[in-house]
């Protein structure tokens, strides 16, 4: 925070203080913009990484379903799937 002192030389000091304050505010805004940009890029990167992990998890689940189907064991998704399909229908009618 900049504090203005008046010592009798109002003209030059006021102009210099105003210029100093302007530079300070511009620098502060530039720093804030840089930090927000960095945070935004970091968040987007983490969201992309999370999406990739979800895709990998989904592929692993599908692989496991395939393996269980080949072994002749009933797929647990078969009993869950009708419930999952019924639930959105209930939500859409509400």
């Amino acid at each position: 925070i900049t504090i203005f002192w008046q010592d009798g030389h109002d003209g030059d000091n006021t102009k210099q203080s105003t210029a100093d304050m302007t530079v300070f505010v511009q620098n502060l805004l530039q720093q804030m913009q840089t930090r927000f940009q960095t945070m935004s890029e970091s968040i987007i990167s983490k969201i992309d990484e999370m999406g990739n992990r979800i895709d990998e998890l989904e592929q692993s689940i599908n692989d496991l379903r395939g393996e269980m189907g080949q072994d002749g064991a009933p797929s647990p998704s078969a009993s869950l799937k009708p419930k999952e399909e019924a639930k959105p229908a209930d939500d859409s009618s509400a």
Side-chain angles (χ1 to χ4, degrees):
I1 298 176
T2 304
I3 300 174
F4 297 99
W5 283 282
Q6 299 293 331
D7 60 0
H9 301 290
D10 290 337
D12 291 339
N13 284 342
T14 301
K15 288 178 186 177
Q16 184 61 43
S17 295
T18 301
D20 290 345
M21 180 59 82
T22 300
V23 170
F24 173 77
V25 170
Q26 287 174 341
N27 288 337
L28 184 62
L29 290 174
Q30 182 63 42
Q31 289 174 4
M32 288 173 61
Q33 182 179 5
T34 302
R35 288 180 184 169
F36 280 123
Q37 183 67 31
T38 301
M39 287 181 1
S40 177
E41 290 170 359
S42 175
I43 289 169
I44 290 170
S45 172
K46 289 179 192 258
I47 288 172
D48 288 343
E49 182 182 341
M50 192 183 322
N52 290 336
R53 288 183 177 185
I54 289 172
D55 290 343
E56 291 172 4
L57 180 61
E58 187 175 20
Q59 184 60 48
S60 296
I61 289 171
N62 288 335
D63 292 345
L64 287 173
R65 284 180 178 169
E67 289 175 13
M68 290 177 74
Q70 290 174 357
D71 293 341
S75 173
S77 63
S79 62
L80 294 176
K81 201 166 190 174
K83 292 179 185 175
E84 291 173 357
E85 289 175 345
K87 190 173 184 179
D90 293 340
D91 291 342
S92 63
S93 65

